[in-house]
Amino acid sequence: MRITKIATVFQLSFLPRMFPVNCYFVEEENELTLIDAAFPYSTKAIINAAKTIGKPITNIIITHAHDDHVGALDSLKNLLPDVQVSISSRDALLLSGDSSLLQHEPNSPIRGGVPKKIKTRPDLLLQEGDRIGSLEVIYSPGHTPGSISLLDVRNRSLIAGDAFQTRGGIAVSGKLKPMFPFPALATWDKLTALNSAKKLRGLKPNVLAVGHGKMLEQPIHYMDQAIGEAELKLQHS
């Protein structure tokens, strides 16, 4: 595991050279919020990283319910029974193993590794604009129907889940990058993902932190590039 810090955000990257899967700590004054839960074997490394930082984990927020973002959730909850687990109300269904579509949603199958054996049930179902500590919930569907991003209002660091990737080149979810195609192959609806990417770009983040790849500082230019490529691809598909 590799740990990188920018501003209030600690990136914990598992298999960083092969198949990077990231989760994040956002540091508050007296506590830590964990965003996503990586692989099942990631538990010990996550706990040890918190001990190194020297603050307790009080919240776990899941950006979306894919296996590589919830792997250690059950074991973390067992070790930290008082921690508050949060996810969007929509992806709470995916977390429970229900991959059916709602009536109003685009008729595209939900892709990627939808959890089948997660026992933890969320304590809090999140909606657009909710706040947990310094983090504001931004609804950013597309990769999954209920994907969310988190904006640190203190410094405009944006933890965007798989709405973007930086591994294999900057890309909007759904735009295939041959060097790392997996986020695109696991994307539910490309047009919805593109609209969410535009929304996130409009927040003018100072840091972009994603599920797969390195964090970017001053990422607007790169986000514009990714959005332009995704628009062009959709126009010709």
Side-chain angles (χ1 to χ4, degrees):
M1 183 191 71
R2 181 179 63 205
I3 300 178
T4 307
K5 184 185 181 187
I6 299 178
T8 51
V9 180
F10 293 81
Q11 182 190 71
L12 282 59
S13 186
F14 296 88
L15 303 179
R17 295 184 180 182
M18 297 172 56
F19 188 97
V21 169
N22 304 325
C23 60
Y24 293 90
F25 281 129
V26 173
E27 187 176 16
E28 302 283 357
E29 184 175 357
N30 298 308
E31 58 195 3
L32 296 171
T33 293
L34 176 66
I35 299 174
D36 290 334
F39 295 117
Y41 69 77
S42 303
T43 306
K44 184 177 179 180
I46 291 170
I47 294 293
N48 286 342
K51 289 179 179 177
T52 299
I53 297 168
K55 295 181 180 180
I57 305 169
T58 58
N59 286 282
I60 300 175
I61 306 175
I62 303 299
T63 62
H64 64 285
H66 275 162
D67 285 335
D68 56 337
H69 292 256
V70 301
L73 181 59
D74 280 349
S75 55
L76 286 168
K77 183 65 172 177
N78 287 337
L79 290 171
L80 306 168
D82 294 330
V83 75
Q84 177 177 265
V85 176
S86 306
I87 192 171
S88 74
S89 55
R90 176 61 183 92
D91 263 30
L93 296 176
L94 292 188
L95 189 66
S96 70
D98 181 358
S99 58
S100 59
L101 294 170
L102 302 183
Q103 187 173 3
H104 66 280
E105 291 174 340
N107 188 24
S108 178
I110 296 173
R111 297 177 171 86
V114 176
K116 301 298 183 184
K117 298 180 180 179
I118 295 294
K119 297 178 181 178
T120 301
R121 293 296 167 255
D123 304 295
L124 182 63
L125 300 180
L126 298 171
Q127 306 290 340
E128 171 86 11
D130 286 348
R131 286 277 296 272
I132 294 180
S134 300
L135 295 171
E136 180 178 348
V137 175
I138 311 297
Y139 189 53
S140 50
H143 189 67
T144 65
S147 290
I148 59 171
S149 301
L150 289 310
L151 181 70
D152 191 327
V153 298
R154 298 168 294 183
N155 52 38
R156 307 202 72 74
S157 296
L158 180 68
I159 299 93
D162 285 357
F164 287 88
Q165 70 183 75
T166 61
R167 176 71 166 187
I170 181 77
V172 172
S173 184
K175 173 64 172 68
L176 191 142
K177 288 288 183 178
M179 294 295 291
F180 197 74
F182 309 104
L185 298 175
T187 294
W188 162 61
D189 188 76
K190 294 178 182 180
L191 179 58
T192 304
L194 175 58
N195 289 334
S196 289
K198 293 178 180 178
K199 176 182 178 180
L200 295 177
R201 189 267 181 229
L203 299 174
K204 300 180 180 179
N206 290 321
V207 176
L208 177 65
V210 298
H212 305 281
K214 295 181 179 180
M215 293 189 283
L216 296 177
E217 296 185 84
Q218 303 305 319
I220 296 298
H221 167 75
Y222 302 102
M223 296 172 81
D224 285 341
Q225 173 189 326
I227 288 167
E229 290 180 358
E231 286 180 323
L232 191 62
K233 180 66 176 178
L234 277 178
Q235 287 170 6
H236 291 88
S237 62

